[in-house]
Amino acid sequence: MASFHFEIKSGRNGYDHSHYVAREGFHRKREDLVASGYGNLPVWAEDDPAGLWKAAEKFERKNGAVYREATIALPNELTMEQNQALVADLVSKLALGKPYQFAIHAPKSSLEGELIPHLHLMTSDRVDDGIERPADRFFARHDRNNPEKGGRRKSSGGRTRMQMRDELIVTRELVADTINRHLAINGHEARVDHRTLRERGVNRKAERYLGPVKVKNMSTKEKAAYVSARKKGVN
């Protein structure tokens, strides 16, 4: 059953996290990477997204985000090939004009053993304006009057907390609409909904996240009971 999950966070350790996303180094042992890629990198990054994040860690202002990451659940109703087309659509909308790196992971659920495909999308806030800059100036403060002398403008700059909240709501709806479009064109009736349970008039709590350790310690009977409750919508 298609379910909606969209989470966005920011971080400073972009270099290490890019290896986690791309399942490089010791992260390869997870063996759940379906596809990965990147785009809109500046020339000096030399087609190496890890190099972008390493430079961001060095030159981005100390209290600024090195990266933003969106984590989005992909519907099991779609084949992996269809989900890759969905991801291409999502990336084109969410990373417009921004350097990005993405990966599709599909680990197995520790509770039911089914695949859980999801997208990790890392983006830089620095929006392309057609001006080439060296790495140190790329992340410098933007100069509105003389943009060629300053850094790239940040998409997150100058927004109030209320504006950021409203933008997040719009983005959640955009993601849900994009997922539903791909479900529809591939012949599925299932749909996702970006609204909260309360906004939908559903009188129950959101499902609790158990985590792999707790699931591992559950008996077969306890797992079966939890899955049954999940399907009834009472978890």
Side-chain angles (χ1 to χ4, degrees), residues 56-126:
E57 289 179 8
K58 182 177 181 180
F59 297 117
E60 189 63 80
R61 60 186 176 84
K62 295 301 181 184
N63 59 340
V66 165
Y67 69 91
R68 310 277 177 185
E69 181 185 25
T71 305
I72 303 170
L74 303 173
N76 257 327
E77 286 82 353
L78 300 181
T79 65
M80 285 301 176
E81 183 177 359
Q82 291 166 347
N83 265 322
Q84 288 187 59
L86 166 59
V87 164
D89 199 358
L90 288 169
V91 169
S92 71
K93 293 172 178 175
L94 300 179
L96 185 64
K98 301 177 182 179
Y100 69 85
Q101 178 180 3
F102 79 90
I104 302 173
H105 298 166
K108 282 189 177 181
S109 163
S110 52
L111 187 63
E112 297 182 76
E114 64 178 358
L115 293 179
I116 311 174
H118 58 277
L119 165 67
H120 288 272
L121 174 61
M122 295 176 67
T123 57
S124 167
D125 283 346
R126 300 288 179 166

Side-chain angles (χ1 to χ4, degrees), residues 2-185:
S3 60
F4 184 76
H5 176 80
F6 172 84
E7 177 185 11
I8 190 160
K9 62 182 182 181
S10 60
R12 290 283 309 174
N13 59 334
Y15 181 77
D16 288 341
H17 194 67
S18 72
H19 286 80
Y20 166 81
V21 167
R23 293 299 194 241
E24 295 177 344
F26 68 87
H27 298 294
R28 285 195 183 95
K29 64 183 180 182
R30 293 176 178 265
E31 298 182 342
D32 61 358
L33 180 67
V34 175
S36 63
Y38 56 84
N40 297 337
L41 299 186
V43 173
W44 53 261
E46 298 180 342
D47 287 330
D48 178 15
L52 169 76
W53 309 123
K54 191 171 185 178
E57 289 179 8
K58 182 177 181 180
F59 297 117
E60 189 63 80
R61 60 186 176 84
K62 295 301 181 184
N63 59 340
V66 165
Y67 69 91
R68 310 277 177 185
E69 181 185 25
T71 305
I72 303 170
L74 303 173
N76 257 327
E77 286 82 353
L78 300 181
T79 65
M80 285 301 176
E81 183 177 359
Q82 291 166 347
N83 265 322
Q84 288 187 59
L86 166 59
V87 164
D89 199 358
L90 288 169
V91 169
S92 71
K93 293 172 178 175
L94 300 179
L96 185 64
K98 301 177 182 179
Y100 69 85
Q101 178 180 3
F102 79 90
I104 302 173
H105 298 166
K108 282 189 177 181
S109 163
S110 52
L111 187 63
E112 297 182 76
E114 64 178 358
L115 293 179
I116 311 174
H118 58 277
L119 165 67
H120 288 272
L121 174 61
M122 295 176 67
T123 57
S124 167
D125 283 346
R126 300 288 179 166
V127 183
D128 188 12
D129 58 3
I131 300 173
E132 287 295 337
R133 301 171 174 86
D136 58 343
R137 190 147 48 84
F138 185 94
F139 297 103
R141 184 181 294 276
H142 178 64
D143 187 332
R144 185 170 53 185
N145 297 319
N146 298 286
E148 69 282 354
K149 295 182 179 180
R152 276 192 180 186
R153 178 181 63 82
K154 299 184 72 172
S155 61
S156 58
R159 293 179 301 172
T160 66
R161 189 178 296 273
M162 188 66 71
Q163 288 173 323
M164 293 177 70
R165 187 206 67 172
D166 291 343
E167 182 179 300
L168 178 60
I169 293 172
V170 170
T171 303
R172 284 173 59 86
E173 184 173 9
L174 172 65
V175 170
D177 288 347
T178 304
I179 292 172
N180 287 335
R181 175 176 171 272
H182 281 259
L183 284 167
I185 63 178

